[in-house]
Amino acid sequence: MADLKNLFVTTKTPSTTQILLTFLLFLSLFLFSSSSLSDFSPSVIVSSFTSRLLMAANFFSYPSSPSDTCTVSSVSSERIRVNNDSRRGREIDTVTKELNSCDIFDGRWVLDESGPVYAPGSCSYLEDKFNCFKNGRPDSGFLRYRWRPHGCTIPRFDGRKMLGILRGKRLVFVGDSLNRNMWESLVCSLSQSLEGKSRVLKDSSARWNLINGSYGFRFKEFQCSIDFIKSPFLVQESKYSDRFGKKRETLRLDVIQGSITELYRDADIVIFNTGHWWTHQKTNKGKGYFQEGSHIYDRLEVRKAYTKALHTWADWVDANINISRTRVFFVGYSSSHFRKGAWNSGGQCDGELEPIKNETYAGEYPWMMRVLESVISEMKTPVYYMNITKMTWYRTDGHPSVYGQPPEIRGRSSVMFQDCSHWCLPGIPDSWNQLLYVTLLLSRRRSLSYKSLETLLS
């Protein structure tokens, strides 16, 4: 409750409608707490009352755009919850009730025979390295599990409803190949809901020539686009010539990757990530690779470098993202499962056929996520942090392993690198997009409720 004194600061004089809305919101707060919570413990009452104060603050602090922009509030990076902000007397469906104060990232994997959102081999938008079915993976048991949060039931992904939420909007993934994994999953999940796949068009405009590995898809019927922009560090990779004239690479920790920011600055939803590239050899050693200004560090510990880079990203977001239009997400670290070595030294994960079922199992929580949580907590921009680390700890069975390459290449390769970082598609990233869908679905319902009330009182 320490931060509540700053919640109701606004930058413009409230209108008569806003004053009336404020009065009704506070009236509902006290009526609700006095009548409908009488059977609950004091801690529950305080939690509900705080949630309602936060709801009122978010309503008046972050105006909606004219086109149903998703209103996603910043949340605690220690424990992420989806809060139900509906007032007493308003009809609330069962899903919204169950999701009240539920941590959707804390749960377990359960058997589910309903099958994936899209069938193996049915999506033409997948890269071969994620298409384990095409590459000959013989088992499909890893597709028979769904994520179940503790304390609530989340709805199955509905592509048509998701496209309705995204109508007229632009959603952009910015980050490394794990974000690309999630992006391809979303494109496939959405396209599966359409009768004619020709209604999905690849964006071939000149803007995509700015950086290799970046793509956009447009869903014509809904006038929305789902894009991916490659930026594995979020900050700028650079080159310089040493005293012998040899070209060397550096990573500018103090400069955002500026060549691409115009591609997503004004998007409606931006989903960032970075992490796995910071574990590679040149970053992990930190020798002569990190740069600030004109200074190149002889050696800099990777944790310090990562922290500097995230602060650069956070400062750019705070200075350049218009929160009345754009909602910001950050996807946490996705667990890798190499055994007997690293990715480039014989590490393996093949032969894994089912998840780890011991719920007490806890992999080592990535230090990068503790840094990220600290940086996000200091930002003025609301950032929704998707903490997928725990839900990926258990899924040793979901990686491409040897099936990231087609059989003909596996057969003639003398050195086989197993992929135990990315995920087969369909597969685990489909569940990430299910949680994204749930978040946007609830956010949209809140936005529409506010609009309906304002219309009634105007």
Side-chain angles (χ1 to χ4, degrees), residues 22-260:
T22 305
F23 171 75
L24 289 176
L25 282 168
F26 276 101
L27 181 62
S28 72
L29 290 173
F30 291 104
L31 288 176
F32 184 90
S33 60
S34 63
S35 59
S36 62
L37 289 176
S38 59
D39 296 330
F40 293 88
S41 66
S43 63
V44 172
I45 294 174
V46 171
S47 176
S48 178
F49 186 73
T50 303
S51 175
R52 288 164 186 274
L53 285 174
L54 289 170
M55 177 271 288
N58 287 331
F59 179 41
F60 292 112
S61 299
Y62 302 113
S64 303
S65 74
S67 58
D68 290 350
T69 299
C70 302
T71 309
V72 181
S73 303
S74 64
V75 291
S76 167
S77 48
E78 292 298 325
R79 183 169 176 82
I80 298 177
R81 296 179 180 275
V82 176
N83 292 314
N84 165 24
D85 296 327
S86 300
R87 289 176 289 278
R88 184 175 180 238
R90 186 179 300 280
E91 183 178 353
I92 312 169
D93 63 33
T94 303
V95 171
T96 307
K97 285 182 179 179
E98 288 186 351
L99 285 167
N100 183 35
S101 297
C102 176
D103 182 352
I104 59 176
F105 298 100
D106 182 21
R108 62 191 180 97
W109 294 95
V110 297
L111 277 171
D112 179 20
E113 299 295 343
S114 61
V117 179
Y118 51 98
S122 66
C123 183
S124 60
Y125 308 114
L126 290 182
E127 288 180 278
D128 284 350
K129 64 182 179 181
F130 303 147
N131 196 338
C132 300
F133 176 82
K134 181 179 178 180
N135 292 333
R137 179 165 178 167
D139 64 297
S140 59
F142 69 100
L143 298 175
R144 296 173 57 222
Y145 293 88
R146 63 181 172 85
W147 179 249
R148 176 187 289 172
H150 295 307
C152 62
T153 301
I154 54 178
R156 184 174 170 83
F157 183 92
D158 187 318
R160 296 289 296 189
K161 285 185 179 179
M162 182 67 157
L163 284 167
I165 293 171
L166 297 175
R167 184 184 296 275
K169 296 179 174 61
R170 184 162 173 253
L171 187 157
V172 184
F173 290 87
V174 181
D176 61 26
S177 53
L178 271 301
N179 238 16
R180 180 163 180 159
N181 221 178
M182 185 176 177
W183 168 72
E184 291 188 19
S185 162
L186 183 58
V187 171
C188 289
S189 298
L190 293 175
S191 63
Q192 189 67 24
S193 67
L194 301 177
E195 294 180 3
K197 300 301 183 289
S198 61
R199 297 181 181 181
V200 184
L201 298 177
K202 184 176 179 180
D203 189 342
S204 56
S205 56
R207 63 181 178 170
W208 297 112
N209 295 328
L210 287 174
I211 186 166
N212 293 329
S214 299
Y215 305 96
F217 282 97
R218 187 167 182 80
F219 292 76
K220 293 195 298 181
E221 179 182 347
F222 294 87
Q223 294 298 299
C224 69
S225 63
I226 313 295
D227 304 337
F228 170 76
I229 297 174
K230 182 182 177 182
S231 184
F233 296 107
L234 300 181
V235 291
Q236 185 70 53
E237 293 179 273
S238 186
K239 290 184 178 181
Y240 75 101
S241 297
D242 65 15
R243 58 195 180 99
F244 302 107
K246 186 178 180 179
K247 289 287 185 182
R248 295 188 178 276
E249 293 181 333
T250 64
L251 189 64
R252 288 293 305 272
L253 303 175
D254 56 338
V255 179
I256 197 76
Q257 190 174 347
S259 60
I260 62 170

Side-chain angles (χ1 to χ4, degrees), residues 442-456:
L442 293 179
S443 177
R444 183 170 186 262
R445 287 174 181 170
R446 288 197 285 268
S447 178
L448 292 177
S449 295
Y450 300 150
K451 290 180 181 180
S452 298
L453 183 58
E454 190 169 18
T455 300
L456 178 66

